[in-house]
Amino acid sequence: MNIGNLRRFVLYHKPQYNNMMYQGTVLFDKDNSSEDKRTQLLDPRRERNCSMIIRKLQVSDAGELGLRTIDEKDDKWMEKMNLTVNASAPSPHIQLPLQLEEFQEVTVTCFLNYYCSEYPVSLLWSLEGQRPLPDQVQDSFSLEVQKISTESKFTLSLNWTHHGKKLACQLWHFPEKLSEEIVQLDVKHTPKLTVVASSLKVKEGDSVTLNCLLQSSNPKIRGSVFWIKDEMSDRKTGEPLILPRVTWQDAGSYRCGADNEMGQGTSEPVTLQVLYPPKDSRVDPGRVVKSENQTVEMTCQSSANPLPTNYSWFQDGKLMPGETKQQLRFQVVKRQQSGQYACQAENSEGRGQVSAAVRLDVWYPPTGVTVTINNRTPIQEGDTVKLSCSYNQSNPSVNRYSWRTQLPQYDSIRSKSLTINSIPWNAKSVTCTACSAHCSSSSPVHLDVQYAPRDVKIILITPQSDIRSGDQVHLQCDFSSSHPRNVGYSWTRNGKHVYEGKSLNWSSISPEDSGLYRCFIYNSVGKTQSQEWDLKIQYAPRHLQVSIIPGDTVMEKTSVVLTCEADANPAIDFYTWFDWKGQKMDNFGPKLTLWPVMTHQSGAYWCQGTNKLGTGESQPTILTVYYSPETIGRRTALGFGVCLALLILAFTGFQFIRCWKKIRGLQDLQAQPSRQGSFFIRNKKIRRPHSTTAPQSLGYYNPAAEERIEYSTLQFPPQAQYLENSRINLQTEDESVTYSVLQKSHKGDYENVAPVEVSPPEEESLHYSELIHFGERKRLPAQEGVEYVTLKH
């Protein structure tokens, strides 16, 4: 909840409920800034945090506090709390683990239920008056509704000496110490003991007393102390430990111990020395096996106190002059120094016995290791080669062999003989190793394997880049190795022999020289061929031709695919198509699809192909598109219908003229002075001369027909769109089909006016209609003696 949205937010000191409301000393009122200035919200934005600070706190401020809130819905709430104010600062509290044990790392906490940024305090630690290191202390504070505190944590590793020490935590408001709390550490630990002896250096037969002193134990020890000698498990109990007549066996290390609830504790060991002459002399190690030229050390060990000061060494029972040290050392041992060795020690108490003899065995590797080739030479690739390994002498005897070749499959052979089946060309040398305790290797034996030429390949010398038609080309046959070195060369093209020699040369190469080339190199051992080398020559497109699927004569409204076939390297980048008019077509691929193909698309087609080297062009290919039976029938029916309509119209016009002439003749006979009216030509038709452009009427010029009132003409429109949706090729139109159409004039040709004079009636004559052939072709000659008239409606 946002505090700023509350209607009332008041902090009372010792609130009292009276007359349905709370009363008391107001410490803070969010709506009245004139109240006690000592109290202030810590969150100036007055949002969800309602924590407050009361400055300059007095003892009189102790008592009950009440926080009264009333929200916008008039919901009321009173939260009460007790405030305790002491005249002096309270002591901090030290919190210890339930049990402290030695060798335990513990964290001790000192805390105080207080924190105020305007009155800062600090918690400081001390252990028996000594301050801990900074990295052992971690301070923290908390200012939350659930917890307000100042804390300090002290981490230390306990040992038994911390038992009984005082640990203090002090509360400071610098520079003044306000209070402190002190606790005494109770550290549980095992018993801590010390051994005290009357004497630790005696002669055989003397008396010795050992006492065990208890330094500390928490809790107390259980039972009595016990004694341990030379870390042996069997123990002697009782205190003190008395040795009335010591012997050399009593010499050694002594410790005392005790038990409590925490476990067992023992003292540091003390060493009891008993003086006696050397006893139990021996040579260490008991058997010496060394390789020749290695370093050998033998040591004379004995029990003596004091330590021996002089030694004697014996080889095969004979005293070795000059060897008086505890160690007998051969820096570089030789095989002749093998034998039995013994020693004798001496100190201030006397001379000891001669030790038992030990064996020194000097080993040496096999000598004179050699490899022998057991078959004929020279060796050729693929031969079976047998080898054997031998040596002169060895200690110990040879027990295994190994071989090293350039052939991994034979490196695991461990026998005296080695057989290499089908020896490869790269088997250069063989080495044998004979092993006993150590190994010796023979000198490498060179096998000298003869083989056919290796890694035969074709190299393009010139040109350095792509080969183009007309370039000068140089191919060379090369190889990596051959034994023997003298070789010959030969070449094949597409599997057929073409040349003998190391190189192939063309002064001006052509596409016909393309093919798969292979070179051969041979010596006295055999012949090796190269990989096939594809000689690719780049050239401009050539041999272009157009193929038509399904054929060059097709029916209209079917699909036709024209393919531009060409020979080119590299491949053609783009294609250009041309129709019978020489115009480019909107297609740039190798295939031109005409669907549905129409009759006007008949004609010659050709293509061009272009790559980065140039352009090639095909010869024209003729495509013929003929009408389908449906089109032929439809056009025939249409032509027949139009002709029939024209005949009917002509007959109707003829009858109309006859009637009009009769009516006019009757009017002339009556000879009335006033004329009621007549028809006359409003737009006199002038016969146009013959034009060569379509559309055009066919027939002869008839001057007499120019003065006639009615006429008709039959002609085709410029484009027969009522027959086809697509363009029609006039050049390929079937001339056997005749088309006709009835054309109307664009404005009136007659009007009703009074006649000027009575003209004699026209002769009734035979009227013809013109039929215009579709297309722009040569007009047919008109027949003489036939009169054509034009009837126009």
Side-chain angles (χ1 to χ4, degrees):
M1 177 182 293
N2 193 317
I3 299 173
N5 296 332
L6 294 174
R7 289 201 303 110
R8 292 281 289 166
F9 185 84
V10 183
L11 179 65
Y12 292 98
H13 180 230
K14 296 180 180 180
Q16 298 292 330
Y17 189 73
N18 189 13
N19 295 327
M20 303 298 291
M21 62 182 299
Y22 280 96
Q23 296 178 349
T25 303
V26 177
L27 299 180
F28 178 81
D29 188 344
K30 78 176 184 67
D31 296 327
N32 190 352
S33 59
S34 63
E35 299 295 342
D36 193 347
K37 297 296 184 180
R38 295 185 303 156
T39 306
Q40 179 183 355
L41 278 172
L42 294 181
D43 185 3
R45 296 176 297 177
R46 299 186 177 186
E47 293 183 352
R48 295 184 178 274
N49 191 345
C50 59
S51 299
M52 298 183 183
I53 183 172
I54 304 176
R55 299 183 179 87
K56 299 179 182 180
L57 201 64
Q58 306 295 326
V59 175
S60 60
D61 292 325
E64 187 178 50
L65 300 179
L67 180 61
R68 180 66 166 172
T69 61
I70 303 176
D71 62 14
E72 296 175 342
K73 298 179 181 179
D74 204 32
D75 291 334
K76 301 177 181 179
W77 186 264
M78 169 62 80
E79 179 70 25
K80 295 182 179 181
M81 67 206 81
N82 288 320
L83 175 63
T84 303
V85 181
N86 297 322
S88 60
S91 299
H93 301 284
I94 296 178
Q95 186 176 14
L96 295 172
L98 295 178
Q99 180 170 312
L100 302 179
E101 299 179 6
E102 65 175 339
F103 312 122
Q104 180 184 19
E105 185 176 270
V106 297
T107 299
V108 184
T109 303
C110 180
F111 65 93
L112 182 68
N113 292 331
Y114 168 83
Y115 174 75
C116 182
S117 60
E118 296 193 6
Y119 189 83
V121 296
S122 300
L123 299 175
L124 301 180
W125 293 92
S126 67
L127 181 61
E128 287 288 338
Q130 294 182 351
R131 299 290 184 188
L133 297 175
D135 58 354
Q136 294 178 289
V137 179
Q138 182 179 3
D139 297 325
S140 63
F141 69 89
S142 176
L143 182 59
E144 299 177 359
V145 176
Q146 297 83 0
K147 181 179 180 182
I148 300 175
S149 67
T150 299
E151 290 186 355
S152 180
K153 296 182 181 294
F154 176 30
T155 302
L156 73 161
S157 297
L158 297 174
N159 58 58
W160 71 275
T161 60
H162 289 130
H163 177 61
K165 288 188 176 181
K166 294 181 179 180
L167 178 65
C169 178
Q170 300 173 346
L171 176 64
W172 284 77
H173 175 64
F174 289 102
E176 179 185 4
K177 183 175 76 170
L178 303 179
S179 62
E180 70 175 345
E181 182 178 12
I182 301 174
V183 297
Q184 190 173 21
L185 299 180
D186 182 15
V187 181
K188 304 295 184 182
H189 59 273
T190 59
K192 309 302 175 185
L193 307 164
T194 302
V195 175
V196 179
S198 57
S199 177
L200 293 176
K201 190 173 183 180
V202 297
K203 292 186 177 183
E204 284 185 308
D206 292 346
S207 176
V208 175
T209 300
L210 302 176
N211 295 294
C212 186
L213 301 180
L214 178 63
Q215 293 178 285
S216 177
S217 178
N218 184 25
K220 295 181 179 180
I221 65 172
R222 295 181 298 190
S224 58
V225 299
F226 54 87
W227 294 88
I228 301 174
K229 179 180 182 293
D230 294 333
E231 307 299 330
M232 301 301 292
S233 59
D234 50 336
R235 306 182 297 182
K236 298 178 181 180
T237 60
E239 201 277 327
L241 177 63
I242 300 175
L243 303 174
R245 291 182 60 84
V246 298
T247 64
W248 68 274
Q249 290 90 350
D250 293 327
S253 173
Y254 289 84
R255 289 190 300 146
C256 69
D259 296 319
N260 66 4
E261 293 179 2
M262 300 304 297
Q264 182 183 102
T266 60
S267 67
E268 293 294 327
V270 295
T271 301
L272 176 62
Q273 298 184 34
V274 179
L275 302 178
Y276 59 93
K279 300 178 183 296
D280 300 332
S281 296
R282 68 186 186 278
V283 177
D284 190 24
R287 181 173 183 268
V288 181
V289 177
K290 289 290 183 178
S291 298
E292 191 174 25
N293 298 325
Q294 287 187 332
T295 299
V296 174
E297 289 185 356
M298 291 181 288
T299 303
C300 186
Q301 303 285 2
S302 61
S303 298
N305 194 19
L307 294 176
T309 56
N310 188 47
Y311 295 88
S312 300
W313 287 91
F314 303 88
Q315 180 183 10
D316 295 331
K318 296 180 180 180
L319 180 66
M320 299 177 64
E323 298 295 342
T324 59
K325 296 181 179 181
Q326 185 182 6
Q327 287 185 337
L328 178 62
R329 180 183 178 86
F330 300 106
Q331 186 68 33
V332 180
V333 71
K334 300 298 180 182
R335 66 190 69 180
Q336 296 82 4
Q337 293 172 319
S338 297
Q340 301 289 335
Y341 288 83
C343 70
Q344 186 182 37
E346 181 182 359
N347 66 1
S348 59
E349 301 298 318
R351 184 186 295 270
Q353 299 291 328
V354 177
S355 70
V358 299
R359 172 73 181 175
L360 172 60
D361 195 2
V362 180
W363 287 357
Y364 53 93
T367 60
V369 180
T370 57
V371 175
T372 305
I373 300 176
N374 298 329
N375 57 316
R376 65 178 180 83
T377 55
I379 302 172
Q380 291 188 356
E381 181 181 5
D383 288 351
T384 299
V385 178
K386 295 182 179 181
L387 308 168
S388 60
C389 186
S390 60
Y391 69 96
N392 293 334
Q393 57 181 357
S394 174
N395 183 28
S397 299
V398 172
N399 53 20
R400 70 183 186 278
Y401 297 86
S402 63
W403 296 85
R404 185 171 69 251
T405 67
Q406 287 80 24
L407 311 173
Q409 65 271 28
Y410 295 103
D411 290 346
S412 60
I413 302 299
R414 295 292 181 264
S415 62
K416 185 176 181 180
S417 300
L418 173 65
T419 301
I420 302 177
N421 297 314
S422 186
I423 191 167
W425 67 276
N426 58 349
K428 302 299 182 183
S429 62
V430 175
T431 301
C432 169
T433 300
C435 298
S436 55
H438 298 279
C439 299
S440 295
S441 298
S442 67
S443 298
V445 175
H446 184 58
L447 297 178
D448 192 24
V449 179
Q450 295 185 351
Y451 54 90
R454 307 287 303 178
D455 301 327
V456 176
K457 59 185 177 180
I458 297 175
I459 301 175
L460 177 62
I461 304 299
T462 56
Q464 297 298 325
S465 58
D466 297 335
I467 302 174
R468 298 185 178 184
S469 180
D471 286 352
Q472 183 177 356
V473 179
H474 179 197
L475 298 180
Q476 181 175 300
C477 189
D478 197 9
F479 65 99
S480 61
S481 62
S482 174
H483 186 52
R485 188 68 181 178
N486 294 331
V487 296
Y489 302 85
S490 64
W491 294 79
T492 63
R493 176 176 176 267
N494 297 331
K496 295 182 180 181
H497 179 267
V498 294
Y499 184 70
E500 291 285 339
K502 185 176 182 179
S503 301
L504 280 179
N505 296 281
W506 289 270
S507 59
S508 178
I509 200 163
S510 66
E512 285 69 23
D513 295 319
S514 300
L516 297 176
Y517 286 80
R518 194 190 295 270
C519 75
F520 298 81
I521 303 179
Y522 50 89
N523 62 7
S524 59
V525 177
K527 177 189 291 187
T528 306
Q529 65 180 8
S530 68
Q531 293 289 334
E532 281 189 337
W533 196 82
D534 190 1
L535 178 58
K536 296 180 179 179
I537 302 170
Q538 295 186 356
Y539 49 93
R542 61 177 191 169
H543 306 323
L544 276 76
Q545 60 181 6
V546 177
S547 62
I548 304 176
I549 296 176
D552 56 0
T553 302
V554 296
M555 183 188 297
E556 65 174 348
K557 298 183 181 180
T558 59
S559 178
V560 176
V561 178
L562 289 81
T563 303
C564 187
E565 300 174 350
D567 178 18
N569 186 25
I572 293 176
D573 297 324
F574 61 91
Y575 295 81
T576 306
W577 288 88
F578 297 89
D579 59 10
W580 64 93
K581 299 178 182 179
Q583 297 178 349
K584 289 185 179 181
M585 306 183 70
D586 294 335
N587 190 288
F588 299 96
K591 293 182 181 297
L592 174 62
T593 301
L594 304 177
W595 186 87
V597 66
M598 306 305 296
T599 56
H600 71 272
Q601 292 176 300
S602 296
Y605 292 84
W606 69 94
C607 65
Q608 287 182 351
T610 303
N611 63 8
K612 66 179 182 179
L613 300 181
T615 302
E617 183 176 284
S618 70
Q619 292 295 324
T621 299
I622 303 301
L623 172 66
T624 302
V625 183
Y626 58 88
Y627 286 112
S628 63
E630 293 81 359
T631 301
I632 295 173
R634 186 172 62 252
R635 292 194 175 190
T636 302
L638 180 61
F640 177 78
V642 171
C643 291
L644 182 60
L646 291 176
L647 291 176
I648 295 172
L649 182 62
F651 178 77
T652 303
F654 175 73
Q655 294 295 329
F656 173 78
I657 292 171
R658 291 184 61 187
C659 293
W660 179 77
K661 286 182 178 181
K662 289 180 180 181
I663 293 171
R664 188 173 180 181
L666 293 175
Q667 290 175 349
D668 292 341
L669 292 176
Q670 292 175 0
Q672 296 179 0
S674 60
R675 299 179 180 177
Q676 296 298 323
S678 178
F679 287 93
F680 71 94
I681 298 175
R682 176 172 143 185
N683 294 325
K684 186 177 181 179
K685 302 301 178 179
I686 300 175
R687 183 72 173 183
R688 292 189 179 94
H690 170 68
S691 175
T692 58
T693 59
Q696 181 65 42
S697 299
L698 299 180
Y700 284 103
Y701 174 69
N702 189 354
E706 288 293 74
E707 299 301 328
R708 294 184 181 180
I709 296 174
E710 57 271 285
Y711 62 93
S712 64
T713 181
L714 182 64
Q715 71 175 28
F716 287 97
Q719 293 184 351
Q721 297 180 357
Y722 58 91
L723 296 177
E724 296 290 347
N725 292 327
S726 61
R727 187 175 180 182
I728 298 176
N729 187 351
L730 301 181
Q731 294 179 354
T732 59
E733 190 69 41
D734 189 352
E735 296 183 356
S736 63
V737 180
T738 304
Y739 297 86
S740 63
V741 66
L742 180 63
Q743 178 172 306
K744 297 175 65 176
S745 62
H746 294 286
K747 59 182 182 175
D749 293 328
Y750 311 98
E751 64 182 4
N752 191 6
V753 296
V756 178
E757 59 181 356
V758 179
S759 302
E762 294 185 3
E763 293 184 1
E764 293 184 356
S765 60
L766 182 62
H767 295 267
Y768 295 88
S769 63
E770 284 185 14
L771 293 182
I772 302 174
H773 288 275
F774 188 76
E776 296 182 2
R777 60 188 181 88
K778 187 176 180 181
R779 297 174 63 91
L780 296 175
Q783 298 179 6
E784 296 183 1
V786 180
E787 181 181 354
Y788 290 85
V789 296
T790 301
L791 174 63
K792 192 171 191 180
H793 178 65

